[in-house]
Amino acid sequence: MKLVARRALIAAALSLPAFAALAAPLTMGFSQVGAESEWRTANTASIKSAAKEAGITLKFADAQQKQENQVKAIRSFIAQKVDVIAFSPVVESGWDTVLKEAQKAGIPVILTDRAVKVSDPSLYVTFIGSDFVEEGRKAARWLLERAAKTPGAALNIVELQGTVGSAPAIDRKKGFEEILKTNPKLQIIRSQSGEFTRAKGKEVMESFLKQRDKKIDVLYAHNDDMAIGAIQAIEEAGLKPGKDIVIISIDGVRGAFEAMKAGKLNVTVECNPLLGPQLMQLAKDVVAKKPVDKRITVIEGVFPAEVAAKELPNRKY
């Protein structure tokens, strides 16, 4: 009788709503910027694989670099009553309305990779990603150290910016210019968006090279993909990238290390895309209402061409 009673108690416990709620997998709605670069592809792969590992049901939406697509995706996640929403915003502004809708529905929001500007910081719980301003500073510090080897030399810099209005484009420019101000001999003579893509990076660099009023000494690209596109334009113009024009970029993807190994790129500042495992743990903590930091920063390094051959086998993206 005792065994029968015990089995009856277990069966009753398993049927309780509370147990069912605990057993149900957490559901995350995730809106990705797009697939504009090697970095973004690696970021998406990390998020998808980490969700599977963590037992989290992932509803994934590719915004194709359009804010309106992200807003639609977030509203769809709200309608589907997901447990948590995470997204990497295309641009910084214009999120108040849809985030208020998520807040009203009681769905917590996590920002990944890129920040937003909102009227009320409580519209999102936390932001996990890189410090883009510091990445820009690191790029400029490397250039200052190189310039110090030829004191008094004036350098003309051209800049390939990322997507207009995006957090990394705004912040990487801000950080670079902040440090650059300490040496007035280093001047940005042209700056234009390459939209974070190889094709646009090549196109804009071709335009820069056609303007022959001033010699270009340095290219600062807000990501590796634009730099790789620019390298092609430089070579087609009969110049040697990495020698005739010093090239600095950000992300640290395999393609950049291959370009450095070939002597065509001088330095890349790391921006780690493998945020998946951290994001999934963060989502679990947020849904469980555990305290989390408002800003979680990823630790990253600077890789000059001299270490490219050694580091290339270690790159996971």
Side-chain angles (χ1 to χ4, degrees), residues 273-293:
L274 307 180
L275 305 179
Q278 279 182 279
L279 174 60
M280 298 310 146
Q281 185 56 54
L282 192 56
K284 288 180 179 180
D285 291 345
V286 166
V287 171
K289 299 190 184 303
K290 293 181 181 179
V292 297
D293 291 336

Side-chain angles (χ1 to χ4, degrees), residues 45-73:
S46 175
I47 288 163
K48 286 182 175 179
S49 63
K52 190 175 181 180
E53 281 277 325
I56 290 175
T57 300
L58 184 70
K59 295 183 180 294
F60 185 88
D62 184 334
Q64 298 178 325
Q65 292 186 286
K66 294 180 180 178
Q67 185 178 28
E68 57 267 32
N69 289 346
Q70 284 199 307
V71 171
K72 286 177 186 175

Side-chain angles (χ1 to χ4, degrees), residues 18-159:
F19 184 88
L22 286 170
L26 185 153
T27 299
M28 172 189 285
F30 185 87
S31 176
Q32 181 61 283
V33 172
E36 76 283 1
S37 64
E38 281 186 50
W39 191 99
R40 191 63 56 190
T41 301
N43 182 241
T44 293
S46 175
I47 288 163
K48 286 182 175 179
S49 63
K52 190 175 181 180
E53 281 277 325
I56 290 175
T57 300
L58 184 70
K59 295 183 180 294
F60 185 88
D62 184 334
Q64 298 178 325
Q65 292 186 286
K66 294 180 180 178
Q67 185 178 28
E68 57 267 32
N69 289 346
Q70 284 199 307
V71 171
K72 286 177 186 175
I74 293 169
R75 286 188 171 135
S76 173
F77 297 150
I78 294 168
Q80 293 174 70
K81 298 180 180 179
V82 300
D83 298 299
V84 60
I85 292 170
F87 76 110
S88 181
V90 176
V91 293
E92 282 191 336
S93 59
W95 300 104
D96 285 71
T97 301
V98 73
L99 293 187
K100 283 176 183 175
E101 292 170 20
Q103 190 177 66
K104 188 177 179 181
I107 301 173
V109 173
I110 299 171
L111 304 177
T112 74
D113 172 44
R114 299 181 178 185
V116 297
K117 287 183 177 177
V118 288
S119 58
D120 178 5
S122 74
L123 292 175
Y124 66 92
V125 180
T126 183
F127 163 50
I128 178 172
S130 302
D131 185 335
F132 298 133
V133 176
E134 184 58 24
E135 288 172 354
R137 291 184 188 123
K138 287 175 180 176
R141 288 188 194 113
W142 181 89
L143 181 58
L144 286 181
E145 287 177 14
R146 184 183 176 98
K149 294 174 184 177
T150 52
L155 297 177
N156 293 327
I157 305 162
V158 294
E159 178 182 36

